[in-house]
Amino acid sequence: MDSTALIPVQYGLDTLYFVLCGALVMWMAAGFAMLESGLVRAKNTAEILTKNIVLYAVASIMYLLIGYYIMYSSPEGGILPSLGFLIGDENAVDVVAAGGEDAPYYSARADFFFQIVFAATAMSVVSGAVAERMKLWAFIAFAVVMTGFIYPIQGFWKWGGGFLDAAGFMDFAGSGIVHMAGATAALAGVLLLGPRKGRYGPNGQVNAIPGANMPLAALGTFILWLGWFGFNGGSQLRVSTLEDANAVAQVFVNTNMAAAGGLIAALITARLLFGKSDLTMILNGALAGLVAITAEPLTPSALQATLIGGVGGVLVVFSILALDKLKLDDPVGAISVHGVVGLWGVLVVPLTNAEASFGAQLLGAASIFAWVFIASLIVWSIIKMVMGLRVSEEEEYEGVDIAECGLEAYPEFTNKK
């Protein structure tokens, strides 16, 4: 059979796989919304849900207008991106049908859709860390800049063929480019925002502020776990060849095992430290395992993936405790899960991938952190001067649902009439 006769079938299959994986990652937006709404107090639930659904729409529009062009239309090996608009033309049928090494093997629109949901994921990390005290419109303003400029520029450095790609930095699906970048932007915001009222007392006392709905938090974690198969599996980019099909299966297995390893490690660590099986630590342990394996989910064995995730699960518990010691208030543990463990995921790549080097991984991590932190700090500072970042003390006490959204997520529990 003429090999060109298979091209439409392979092109269609790879495009379908890419789109379906993108849809799975889009569903992670629901996971973040449920996780965060479960871990905040009832009086702040409607606002956190608003942030999560709005940021996805903002990311979609900003990535269409400028973000995708910055990330994938800039010079190879470069640092400064090219500025332009919109996403270009779809692949021409005759070019695809002709085949050859340079012929595309999936739709350009499929690629754009898949990349949108990654940009939105990076911004989703920010929403939980600044929860319960940030103004809604300050958050939306930052989302415009983050998804349109800050995220795409550092994404170009690796995935768009920029200088980190030329230097040999490896980040298969975004432990650094997506997760650590989101956590770094969140850290800059938290530093300017300050902790929630009553979170920290004198002499280093940390006061617990329990979330309102643990079933929702657990549901959110399950949704994220499911969506992560699209996140990592889709990053293989195609499934129509024997090699790619085997690779996709390996990525799915390793993604699952890393989550399991992170969960069990966090469970044991919490039990040893607190004498209790802390559900919030368990949930964050699973997510930490997923973040840890994202930089390289293909080359480890299933056991190695479990151990990589397990280290992430231990790290996230100690990181959450350390941030509280520093009075950096992160209601959902996002900076620890996505930042600290994201760094671990980037640095562990050379242990299972012989083509990676610690030097290149360190360069990548340092470059991402420096750019995102400095740019985010500047943007957050401008927003603070223009409109302010934080709601008033009275609004924080009453809950940002009423102050920012004019409604409550659970009115039957608060309406005394």
Side-chain angles (χ1 to χ4, degrees), residues 173-300:
S175 288
I177 295 168
V178 178
H179 296 282
M180 194 178 77
T184 302
L187 175 62
V190 167
L191 287 171
L192 291 178
L193 192 60
R196 291 167 291 175
K197 296 296 182 183
R199 175 60 172 161
Y200 303 113
N203 303 317
Q205 178 184 348
V206 179
N207 300 314
I209 303 179
N213 196 321
M214 289 300 103
L216 273 188
L219 175 62
T221 302
F222 275 119
I223 292 173
L224 288 168
W225 195 327
L226 173 64
W228 230 287
F229 295 124
F231 200 94
N232 288 351
S235 295
Q236 182 64 24
L237 305 183
R238 64 185 305 186
V239 73
S240 64
T241 69
L242 294 176
E243 293 80 4
D244 287 306
N246 284 338
V248 165
Q250 184 68 45
V251 168
F252 270 58
V253 168
N254 285 349
T255 299
N256 186 68
M257 295 315 302
L263 188 152
I264 297 301
L267 167 66
I268 294 171
T269 304
R271 176 70 179 181
L272 292 175
L273 291 177
F274 316 131
K276 303 291 182 183
S277 302
D278 188 319
L279 176 61
T280 61
M281 292 296 185
I282 293 169
L283 299 179
N284 277 330
L287 298 177
L290 291 163
V291 170
I293 202 63
T294 294
E296 183 47 272
L298 178 57
T299 57

Side-chain angles (χ1 to χ4, degrees), residues 354-385:
E355 296 181 5
S357 70
F358 285 107
Q361 297 307 103
L362 282 169
L363 173 64
S367 300
I368 293 167
F369 179 84
W371 159 249
V372 176
F373 184 78
I374 293 171
S376 298
L377 197 63
I378 292 171
V379 174
W380 284 125
S381 298
I382 293 172
I383 294 171
K384 185 176 183 178
M385 289 187 294

Side-chain angles (χ1 to χ4, degrees), residues 55 59 63 114-124 146-147 151 178:
L55 77 85
Y63 207 67
F114 189 72
Q115 300 301 334
I116 277 179
V117 292
F118 275 58
T121 297
M123 190 61 210
S124 294
M146 177 68 179
T147 57
Y151 168 80
V178 178

Side-chain angles (χ1 to χ4, degrees), residues 70 74-75 77-83 153 156-157 162-163:
I70 288 174
S74 298
I79 297 176
L80 298 177
S82 301
L83 295 180
I153 288 174
F156 148 64
W157 290 345
F163 82 98

Side-chain angles (χ1 to χ4, degrees), residues 125 175-176 178-187 288 291 315-316 319 323 330 333-346 365 369:
V125 174
S175 288
V178 178
H179 296 282
M180 194 178 77
T184 302
L187 175 62
V291 170
L315 282 174
V316 77
S319 176
L323 289 184
D330 178 358
I335 296 172
S336 297
V337 171
H338 301 273
V340 173
V341 182
L343 177 61
W344 158 246
V346 166
F369 179 84

Side-chain angles (χ1 to χ4, degrees), residues 298-315:
L298 178 57
T299 57
S301 67
L303 179 59
Q304 287 173 328
T306 307
L307 295 174
I308 290 169
V311 173
V314 174
L315 282 174

